[in-house]
Amino acid sequence: MADSQDWVYVVDDDLSVREALSSLIRSVGLQVETYASAAAFLEGPRLPRVACLILDVRMPGLTGLELQARLAGSGASIPIIFITGHGDIPMAVRAIKKGAVEFLAKPFRDEDLLAAIRSALAQARSTRQAESEVGEIRRRYALLTGREKEVITFMVRGALNKQAAAELGVSEMTVKVHRHNIMHKMGVTTLPDLVRMVERLQGGSEGL
């Protein structure tokens, strides 16, 4: 159903639930790690991998919803599937609005959980791919000189070479040379492609 290197984290204070979920998840070829508390999960190492989190809502200490908030605050993008024996509609709505993939009430069918896991891992894979692409754009952008970074702002605004030259105090030929170098370093052949790359950087809070 998924790549054998995909991981599922399970956080639930009930040992029997952890064991049952671990067995189910392993049966479909996925890797799994279980934790008895939200605190234990936060303390555990988090390696770069495609993964999702199955999280109990009500637990002693840090609750599932509080852990969701902590992860969001730290910038973690791991998709979450909530499970609970005490859930209600307002709680489910809150969790989903905060980005949860699914909210399942115990007892739930194995098929429903596995479907949620498939959806969560697909989301995680998509996010990881997007992050990898933005990382490559960021690497290329870092190759630009200070002047080239100035010129690129004019390019994405659609400014003419003579406008950029006038504001920067250089010749149009110099701007043209910078434009050529920018396109080469960024690995694009058209201005629309360059604009899209810059927009992705800005979307990832990478200011220009």
Side-chain angles (χ1 to χ4, degrees):
M1 87 174 230
D3 192 289
S4 61
Q5 297 307 306
D6 291 346
W7 282 77
V8 180
Y9 301 116
V10 177
V11 181
D12 196 301
D13 61 311
D14 188 324
L15 175 59
S16 64
V17 172
R18 295 199 303 274
E19 291 179 340
L21 293 182
S22 178
S23 177
L24 173 65
I25 293 165
R26 292 184 189 282
S27 74
V28 294
L30 295 170
Q31 306 294 322
V32 61
E33 287 182 6
T34 65
Y35 299 87
S37 69
F41 175 77
L42 289 174
E43 292 170 359
R46 210 64 65 233
L47 301 176
R49 55 177 53 147
V50 173
C52 67
L53 172 61
I54 298 176
L55 181 58
D56 189 20
V57 173
R58 298 183 186 276
M59 294 180 290
L62 199 65
T63 69
L65 292 174
E66 289 170 339
L67 175 57
Q68 180 189 34
R70 288 266 190 106
L71 292 174
S74 68
S77 58
I78 184 168
I80 297 175
I81 300 165
F82 277 106
I83 57 174
T84 180
H86 310 281
D88 54 28
I89 297 301
M91 184 183 295
V93 169
R94 176 184 171 191
I96 297 298
K97 281 186 174 181
K98 294 293 185 179
V101 174
E102 185 60 276
F103 194 100
L104 300 174
K106 301 174 185 177
F108 46 78
R109 300 188 308 159
D110 290 351
E111 294 81 0
D112 291 338
L113 178 61
L114 293 177
I117 290 174
R118 284 194 293 271
S119 177
L121 289 175
Q123 180 178 314
R125 199 172 293 108
S126 177
T127 298
R128 187 175 185 187
Q129 176 64 25
E131 290 174 345
S132 175
E133 292 172 355
V134 172
E136 175 60 18
I137 295 173
R138 186 179 296 115
R139 183 192 69 78
R140 293 180 184 182
Y141 181 77
L143 298 176
L144 303 182
T145 65
R147 178 65 82 184
E148 288 166 352
K149 290 177 180 178
E150 291 178 326
V151 171
I152 201 173
T153 62
F154 289 96
M155 294 175 69
V156 299
R157 280 161 36 194
L160 298 176
N161 288 344
K162 64 179 180 181
Q163 293 174 317
E167 291 199 39
L168 295 174
V170 298
S171 69
E172 285 188 52
M173 180 57 67
T174 297
V175 172
K176 289 180 180 179
V177 171
H178 285 317
R179 287 176 66 109
H180 173 78
N181 291 339
I182 288 168
M183 300 294 279
H184 175 70
K185 290 180 181 180
M186 295 300 288
V188 294
T189 57
T190 69
L191 183 57
D193 286 339
L194 179 66
V195 171
R196 282 190 286 271
M197 293 178 80
V198 172
E199 288 176 343
R200 295 194 68 180
L201 281 181
Q202 293 173 330
S205 299
E206 185 75 10
L208 297 182

PDB file of all heavy atoms in Angstrom, residues 134 137 156 186 192-206 208:
ATOM      1  N   VAL A 134      11.998  23.407  -3.212  1.00  0.00           N
ATOM      2  CA  VAL A 134      12.287  24.755  -2.721  1.00  0.00           C
ATOM      3  C   VAL A 134      13.730  24.833  -2.218  1.00  0.00           C
ATOM      4  O   VAL A 134      14.406  25.844  -2.403  1.00  0.00           O
ATOM      5  CB  VAL A 134      11.304  25.155  -1.598  1.00  0.00           C
ATOM      6  CG1 VAL A 134      11.735  26.468  -0.948  1.00  0.00           C
ATOM      7  CG2 VAL A 134       9.897  25.299  -2.156  1.00  0.00           C
ATOM      8  N   ILE A 137      15.880  25.377  -5.196  1.00  0.00           N
ATOM      9  CA  ILE A 137      15.770  26.764  -5.669  1.00  0.00           C
ATOM     10  C   ILE A 137      16.568  27.681  -4.751  1.00  0.00           C
ATOM     11  O   ILE A 137      17.285  28.582  -5.203  1.00  0.00           O
ATOM     12  CB  ILE A 137      14.303  27.208  -5.702  1.00  0.00           C
ATOM     13  CG1 ILE A 137      13.523  26.382  -6.734  1.00  0.00           C
ATOM     14  CG2 ILE A 137      14.199  28.700  -6.043  1.00  0.00           C
ATOM     15  CD1 ILE A 137      12.031  26.630  -6.713  1.00  0.00           C
ATOM     16  N   VAL A 156      11.582  40.167 -11.955  1.00  0.00           N
ATOM     17  CA  VAL A 156      10.287  39.590 -11.573  1.00  0.00           C
ATOM     18  C   VAL A 156       9.187  40.646 -11.537  1.00  0.00           C
ATOM     19  O   VAL A 156       7.998  40.306 -11.589  1.00  0.00           O
ATOM     20  CB  VAL A 156      10.378  38.855 -10.217  1.00  0.00           C
ATOM     21  CG1 VAL A 156      11.378  37.719 -10.285  1.00  0.00           C
ATOM     22  CG2 VAL A 156      10.745  39.812  -9.086  1.00  0.00           C
ATOM     23  N   MET A 186      20.084  30.068 -12.154  1.00  0.00           N
ATOM     24  CA  MET A 186      18.797  29.575 -11.652  1.00  0.00           C
ATOM     25  C   MET A 186      18.292  28.383 -12.454  1.00  0.00           C
ATOM     26  O   MET A 186      17.326  27.721 -12.073  1.00  0.00           O
ATOM     27  CB  MET A 186      17.754  30.692 -11.667  1.00  0.00           C
ATOM     28  CG  MET A 186      18.068  31.854 -10.719  1.00  0.00           C
ATOM     29  SD  MET A 186      18.203  31.368  -8.979  1.00  0.00           S
ATOM     30  CE  MET A 186      16.478  31.034  -8.590  1.00  0.00           C
ATOM     31  N   PRO A 192       8.941  33.674 -17.195  1.00  0.00           N
ATOM     32  CA  PRO A 192       7.858  33.125 -16.362  1.00  0.00           C
ATOM     33  C   PRO A 192       8.341  32.021 -15.425  1.00  0.00           C
ATOM     34  O   PRO A 192       7.895  31.936 -14.279  1.00  0.00           O
ATOM     35  CB  PRO A 192       6.858  32.583 -17.397  1.00  0.00           C
ATOM     36  CG  PRO A 192       7.062  33.474 -18.583  1.00  0.00           C
ATOM     37  CD  PRO A 192       8.547  33.715 -18.629  1.00  0.00           C
ATOM     38  N   ASP A 193       9.287  31.193 -15.898  1.00  0.00           N
ATOM     39  CA  ASP A 193       9.827  30.132 -15.037  1.00  0.00           C
ATOM     40  C   ASP A 193      10.594  30.745 -13.864  1.00  0.00           C
ATOM     41  O   ASP A 193      10.502  30.265 -12.726  1.00  0.00           O
ATOM     42  CB  ASP A 193      10.759  29.214 -15.827  1.00  0.00           C
ATOM     43  CG  ASP A 193      10.003  28.285 -16.768  1.00  0.00           C
ATOM     44  OD1 ASP A 193       8.794  28.070 -16.525  1.00  0.00           O
ATOM     45  OD2 ASP A 193      10.621  27.782 -17.722  1.00  0.00           O
ATOM     46  N   LEU A 194      11.341  31.794 -14.141  1.00  0.00           N
ATOM     47  CA  LEU A 194      12.094  32.465 -13.077  1.00  0.00           C
ATOM     48  C   LEU A 194      11.137  33.085 -12.062  1.00  0.00           C
ATOM     49  O   LEU A 194      11.362  32.975 -10.849  1.00  0.00           O
ATOM     50  CB  LEU A 194      12.991  33.556 -13.671  1.00  0.00           C
ATOM     51  CG  LEU A 194      13.817  34.358 -12.645  1.00  0.00           C
ATOM     52  CD1 LEU A 194      14.843  33.459 -11.976  1.00  0.00           C
ATOM     53  CD2 LEU A 194      14.499  35.547 -13.330  1.00  0.00           C
ATOM     54  N   VAL A 195      10.077  33.712 -12.550  1.00  0.00           N
ATOM     55  CA  VAL A 195       9.093  34.330 -11.652  1.00  0.00           C
ATOM     56  C   VAL A 195       8.467  33.280 -10.747  1.00  0.00           C
ATOM     57  O   VAL A 195       8.291  33.496  -9.543  1.00  0.00           O
ATOM     58  CB  VAL A 195       8.001  35.059 -12.466  1.00  0.00           C
ATOM     59  CG1 VAL A 195       6.873  35.511 -11.550  1.00  0.00           C
ATOM     60  CG2 VAL A 195       8.598  36.264 -13.194  1.00  0.00           C
ATOM     61  N   ARG A 196       8.140  32.117 -11.317  1.00  0.00           N
ATOM     62  CA  ARG A 196       7.541  31.047 -10.500  1.00  0.00           C
ATOM     63  C   ARG A 196       8.513  30.572  -9.426  1.00  0.00           C
ATOM     64  O   ARG A 196       8.098  30.275  -8.294  1.00  0.00           O
ATOM     65  CB  ARG A 196       7.108  29.884 -11.400  1.00  0.00           C
ATOM     66  CG  ARG A 196       5.797  30.131 -12.137  1.00  0.00           C
ATOM     67  CD  ARG A 196       5.294  28.875 -12.808  1.00  0.00           C
ATOM     68  NE  ARG A 196       6.068  28.559 -13.994  1.00  0.00           N
ATOM     69  CZ  ARG A 196       5.788  29.014 -15.213  1.00  0.00           C
ATOM     70  NH1 ARG A 196       4.757  29.823 -15.397  1.00  0.00           N
ATOM     71  NH2 ARG A 196       6.528  28.662 -16.249  1.00  0.00           N
ATOM     72  N   MET A 197       9.794  30.489  -9.762  1.00  0.00           N
ATOM     73  CA  MET A 197      10.786  30.075  -8.769  1.00  0.00           C
ATOM     74  C   MET A 197      10.865  31.080  -7.629  1.00  0.00           C
ATOM     75  O   MET A 197      10.905  30.701  -6.451  1.00  0.00           O
ATOM     76  CB  MET A 197      12.158  29.901  -9.430  1.00  0.00           C
ATOM     77  CG  MET A 197      12.242  28.756 -10.414  1.00  0.00           C
ATOM     78  SD  MET A 197      13.865  28.621 -11.197  1.00  0.00           S
ATOM     79  CE  MET A 197      14.795  27.790  -9.925  1.00  0.00           C
ATOM     80  N   VAL A 198      10.876  32.353  -7.972  1.00  0.00           N
ATOM     81  CA  VAL A 198      10.941  33.392  -6.951  1.00  0.00           C
ATOM     82  C   VAL A 198       9.697  33.360  -6.076  1.00  0.00           C
ATOM     83  O   VAL A 198       9.771  33.520  -4.844  1.00  0.00           O
ATOM     84  CB  VAL A 198      11.115  34.778  -7.602  1.00  0.00           C
ATOM     85  CG1 VAL A 198      10.975  35.878  -6.555  1.00  0.00           C
ATOM     86  CG2 VAL A 198      12.479  34.873  -8.281  1.00  0.00           C
ATOM     87  N   GLU A 199       8.541  33.138  -6.685  1.00  0.00           N
ATOM     88  CA  GLU A 199       7.296  33.055  -5.918  1.00  0.00           C
ATOM     89  C   GLU A 199       7.343  31.891  -4.936  1.00  0.00           C
ATOM     90  O   GLU A 199       6.835  31.995  -3.813  1.00  0.00           O
ATOM     91  CB  GLU A 199       6.106  32.894  -6.867  1.00  0.00           C
ATOM     92  CG  GLU A 199       5.773  34.162  -7.638  1.00  0.00           C
ATOM     93  CD  GLU A 199       4.653  33.953  -8.644  1.00  0.00           C
ATOM     94  OE1 GLU A 199       4.365  32.772  -8.975  1.00  0.00           O
ATOM     95  OE2 GLU A 199       4.073  34.950  -9.106  1.00  0.00           O
ATOM     96  N   ARG A 200       7.956  30.784  -5.341  1.00  0.00           N
ATOM     97  CA  ARG A 200       8.065  29.641  -4.429  1.00  0.00           C
ATOM     98  C   ARG A 200       8.991  29.962  -3.264  1.00  0.00           C
ATOM     99  O   ARG A 200       8.738  29.547  -2.127  1.00  0.00           O
ATOM    100  CB  ARG A 200       8.552  28.401  -5.179  1.00  0.00           C
ATOM    101  CG  ARG A 200       7.574  27.904  -6.229  1.00  0.00           C
ATOM    102  CD  ARG A 200       7.896  26.524  -6.709  1.00  0.00           C
ATOM    103  NE  ARG A 200       7.693  25.541  -5.663  1.00  0.00           N
ATOM    104  CZ  ARG A 200       7.914  24.235  -5.825  1.00  0.00           C
ATOM    105  NH1 ARG A 200       8.351  23.772  -6.984  1.00  0.00           N
ATOM    106  NH2 ARG A 200       7.712  23.393  -4.830  1.00  0.00           N
ATOM    107  N   LEU A 201      10.058  30.693  -3.531  1.00  0.00           N
ATOM    108  CA  LEU A 201      10.941  31.114  -2.445  1.00  0.00           C
ATOM    109  C   LEU A 201      10.201  32.029  -1.479  1.00  0.00           C
ATOM    110  O   LEU A 201      10.306  31.885  -0.254  1.00  0.00           O
ATOM    111  CB  LEU A 201      12.160  31.849  -2.998  1.00  0.00           C
ATOM    112  CG  LEU A 201      13.293  31.017  -3.572  1.00  0.00           C
ATOM    113  CD1 LEU A 201      14.417  31.918  -4.044  1.00  0.00           C
ATOM    114  CD2 LEU A 201      13.816  30.023  -2.558  1.00  0.00           C
ATOM    115  N   GLN A 202       9.449  32.976  -2.026  1.00  0.00           N
ATOM    116  CA  GLN A 202       8.713  33.903  -1.170  1.00  0.00           C
ATOM    117  C   GLN A 202       7.621  33.182  -0.412  1.00  0.00           C
ATOM    118  O   GLN A 202       7.337  33.509   0.746  1.00  0.00           O
ATOM    119  CB  GLN A 202       8.128  35.024  -2.025  1.00  0.00           C
ATOM    120  CG  GLN A 202       9.193  35.924  -2.628  1.00  0.00           C
ATOM    121  CD  GLN A 202       8.633  36.927  -3.608  1.00  0.00           C
ATOM    122  OE1 GLN A 202       7.631  36.673  -4.269  1.00  0.00           O
ATOM    123  NE2 GLN A 202       9.279  38.078  -3.718  1.00  0.00           N
ATOM    124  N   GLY A 203       7.033  32.163  -1.044  1.00  0.00           N
ATOM    125  CA  GLY A 203       6.004  31.364  -0.366  1.00  0.00           C
ATOM    126  C   GLY A 203       6.580  30.568   0.790  1.00  0.00           C
ATOM    127  O   GLY A 203       5.890  30.245   1.748  1.00  0.00           O
ATOM    128  N   GLY A 204       7.893  30.254   0.705  1.00  0.00           N
ATOM    129  CA  GLY A 204       8.562  29.545   1.785  1.00  0.00           C
ATOM    130  C   GLY A 204       9.232  30.490   2.754  1.00  0.00           C
ATOM    131  O   GLY A 204      10.139  30.110   3.469  1.00  0.00           O
ATOM    132  N   SER A 205       8.774  31.768   2.744  1.00  0.00           N
ATOM    133  CA  SER A 205       9.299  32.801   3.646  1.00  0.00           C
ATOM    134  C   SER A 205      10.773  33.095   3.389  1.00  0.00           C
ATOM    135  O   SER A 205      11.522  33.461   4.282  1.00  0.00           O
ATOM    136  CB  SER A 205       9.110  32.385   5.127  1.00  0.00           C
ATOM    137  OG  SER A 205       7.749  32.234   5.407  1.00  0.00           O
ATOM    138  N   GLU A 206      11.197  32.885   2.132  1.00  0.00           N
ATOM    139  CA  GLU A 206      12.585  33.189   1.767  1.00  0.00           C
ATOM    140  C   GLU A 206      12.583  34.524   1.078  1.00  0.00           C
ATOM    141  O   GLU A 206      12.400  34.633  -0.125  1.00  0.00           O
ATOM    142  CB  GLU A 206      13.122  32.087   0.831  1.00  0.00           C
ATOM    143  CG  GLU A 206      14.590  32.229   0.481  1.00  0.00           C
ATOM    144  CD  GLU A 206      15.496  31.826   1.623  1.00  0.00           C
ATOM    145  OE1 GLU A 206      15.010  31.265   2.593  1.00  0.00           O
ATOM    146  OE2 GLU A 206      16.710  32.075   1.519  1.00  0.00           O
ATOM    147  N   LEU A 208      13.484  38.065  -0.695  1.00  0.00           N
ATOM    148  CA  LEU A 208      14.494  38.446  -1.671  1.00  0.00           C
ATOM    149  C   LEU A 208      15.056  39.825  -1.328  1.00  0.00           C
ATOM    150  O   LEU A 208      14.370  40.634  -0.750  1.00  0.00           O
ATOM    151  CB  LEU A 208      13.878  38.474  -3.073  1.00  0.00           C
ATOM    152  CG  LEU A 208      13.347  37.124  -3.590  1.00  0.00           C
ATOM    153  CD1 LEU A 208      12.810  37.289  -4.991  1.00  0.00           C
ATOM    154  CD2 LEU A 208      14.438  36.080  -3.575  1.00  0.00           C
TER     155      LEU A 208
END
